[in-house]
Amino acid sequence: DLCPRFGIDASAIERRRNHVALGHEDDHAMAEICAALPKIADDVVDRFYEHLLAQPDLRGELGGDSEITALKGTLRAYLVGMGQGGTEPAYFESRLRVGLVHEARGLLPRHVMESFAVLFDALAEHFEAWARAQGKDAAPLVRSLAKFMWLDAALGVEAYQEAAASRMQTVVVRAQEAEGQLREASWIDELTGIANRRELMSRLEVEFDRSRRYEIPFVLLFADLDLFKRVNDERGHEAGDAVLKDIANRLREGTRPADVVGRYGGEEFVIGLVQTPLDRAVKIAERLRRAIALQPVNYGDEPISMTISIGVAPLRDTTPDLAALLVEADAALYQAKRQGRNAVCQDAAVPKDG
């Protein structure tokens, strides 16, 4: 129901009628008009659409012959029911629905108002002729007709605007969703679902600067899968992709949401542990290493056993920038590889706690 949606109840109906100065005398006048409407409706409808179809900017909006025939039938029903039950919600409901139809067809508000003007002109001419033939004064009838038509037009435009606003809101929401998807696609590594290198470096820079500024512990873990090339060579690249996805997921699940986890490239991953002392970071790295070594990657009929080497580098007062910290973590990773892989190491130049 449209009336509740537009806040139209008995008091609102009375208010809106008062806005266009509709009174009981107008209801009586419309009852007289309605008696004559069925006789002139077809002529008014034809004249109305003859005018619309002559407008180049409207012709395409109205559709083909079958659609125009249907629209003519709708307009005739509108004319025959004009003013009938003008104090009832059903009347207001039907007029609101006219506005929704206009919006759905893509007609502009000015087209709606112009259409009402053309329709009123055609009706007024007919009723003036009809009144003369009856020996009646046409002016009161035409005034009442005008009031009802302006009420109808106002309701139609109100519904049009609400529908257009709702449609625009839908467009905005969809655009925001698309923007979010594009933004997400720009920072997520397509294969593993974690941050890609560009996003990883951007977030690490933020955490590095924040940690140094506020003297917060910050540690980098530089991780590399051991003998990963062997997996691609022996089991195929699909198996290698499955391993990368599984390991990336374990690294993400094995750290906190505040930590930065990303794919640095190939089978290399970098983790930024925020607000984490060095001894705690080493324990986290060891936990990750053990979890990967002890739990093979499920793939096909034969699981794939993997190990990982991790280099650890803490932010210190002498660390000049993020690039230097990455170099230090990479050097520690290289040391872990030299020690036989499946190890966690710090740079040899860095004293180890305990």
Side-chain angles (χ1 to χ4, degrees):
D1 290 346
L2 294 178
C3 284
R5 176 171 153 190
F6 286 86
I8 296 178
D9 53 17
S11 60
I13 289 174
E14 186 63 27
R15 263 196 325 273
R16 288 166 184 261
R17 283 173 57 90
N18 289 337
H19 288 168
V20 291
L22 269 174
H24 294 301
E25 66 280 5
D26 297 302
D27 294 326
H28 293 312
M30 283 304 298
E32 190 173 357
I33 289 173
C34 287
L37 275 171
K39 302 174 184 177
I40 64 171
D42 290 336
D43 186 60
V44 171
V45 169
D46 289 340
R47 176 175 165 181
F48 177 75
Y49 273 95
E50 182 180 347
H51 172 83
L52 291 190
L53 293 172
Q55 313 305 312
D57 58 335
L58 286 177
R59 181 63 183 86
E61 303 289 346
L62 296 175
D65 292 342
S66 60
E67 291 177 290
I68 291 174
T69 299
L71 288 171
K72 284 183 175 182
T74 301
L75 178 58
R76 190 182 192 285
Y78 164 79
L79 291 175
V80 172
M82 187 179 295
Q84 296 186 33
T87 61
E88 300 300 322
Y91 183 87
F92 282 72
E93 177 93 12
S94 65
R95 273 40 189 171
L96 289 169
R97 200 164 298 282
V98 168
L100 297 184
V101 171
H102 285 158
E103 194 279 334
R105 297 200 66 84
L107 297 175
L108 298 175
R110 68 177 180 84
H111 293 149
V112 177
M113 297 307 297
E114 290 166 357
S115 297
F116 271 102
V118 172
L119 191 60
F120 173 75
D121 184 60
L123 284 169
E125 182 176 322
H126 273 283
F127 278 115
E128 286 171 356
W130 175 81
R132 283 195 301 270
Q134 300 293 319
K136 296 177 178 291
D137 182 7
L141 297 177
V142 172
R143 281 198 299 269
S144 295
L145 173 67
K147 292 177 184 180
F148 270 99
M149 290 201 67
W150 302 152
L151 173 65
D152 291 356
L155 290 168
V157 169
E158 182 178 357
Y160 181 104
Q161 291 174 328
E162 196 273 347
S166 177
R167 187 187 298 271
M168 182 56 67
Q169 181 62 30
T170 299
V171 170
V172 170
V173 169
R174 289 177 179 172
Q176 290 173 338
E177 290 174 350
E179 181 183 3
Q181 291 169 355
L182 288 172
R183 188 185 301 115
E184 182 175 301
S186 71
W187 66 262
I188 285 183
D189 179 68
E190 185 176 357
L191 175 63
T192 62
I194 61 176
N196 60 25
R197 181 165 179 166
R198 182 175 63 179
E199 177 68 12
L200 170 69
M201 296 305 294
S202 174
R203 292 174 60 188
L204 288 176
E205 285 283 4
V206 171
E207 294 300 338
F208 178 91
D209 291 342
R210 186 171 66 89
S211 298
R212 184 164 59 179
R213 182 180 304 111
Y214 298 108
E215 299 182 353
I216 299 171
F218 180 67
V219 180
L220 275 190
L221 306 184
F222 207 137
D224 181 79
L225 291 178
D226 298 324
L227 303 175
F228 177 73
K229 184 176 182 298
R230 185 178 298 173
V231 176
N232 284 331
D233 292 343
E234 296 178 358
R235 303 289 297 272
H237 287 281
E238 288 188 3
D241 289 348
V243 168
L244 290 172
K245 291 177 186 178
D246 184 273
I247 298 302
N249 189 53
R250 294 196 210 181
L251 295 178
R252 177 170 49 196
E253 291 183 348
T255 52
R256 301 162 301 177
D259 296 325
V260 182
V261 181
R263 185 181 181 192
Y264 191 75
E267 64 270 25
E268 294 180 326
F269 302 89
V270 172
I271 301 172
L273 299 175
V274 301
Q275 298 185 10
T276 306
L278 178 58
D279 58 345
R280 176 64 180 157
V282 171
K283 290 178 181 178
I284 292 172
E286 281 287 356
R287 187 180 71 237
L288 293 171
R289 182 197 64 78
R290 285 196 303 271
I292 291 170
L294 293 174
Q295 180 62 51
V297 176
N298 290 321
Y299 182 75
D301 297 331
E302 185 179 349
I304 302 173
S305 296
M306 293 298 303
T307 61
I308 195 168
S309 298
I310 304 175
V312 182
L315 171 62
R316 299 188 300 276
D317 293 341
T318 56
T319 306
D321 52 31
L322 176 63
L325 191 60
L326 278 166
V327 169
E328 185 177 324
D330 188 39
L333 170 62
Y334 179 70
Q335 181 177 329
K337 294 286 189 180
R338 291 185 62 185
Q339 290 180 2
R341 306 182 183 89
N342 190 24
V344 173
C345 289
Q346 294 174 235
D347 192 302
V350 181
K352 298 182 181 180
D353 293 0

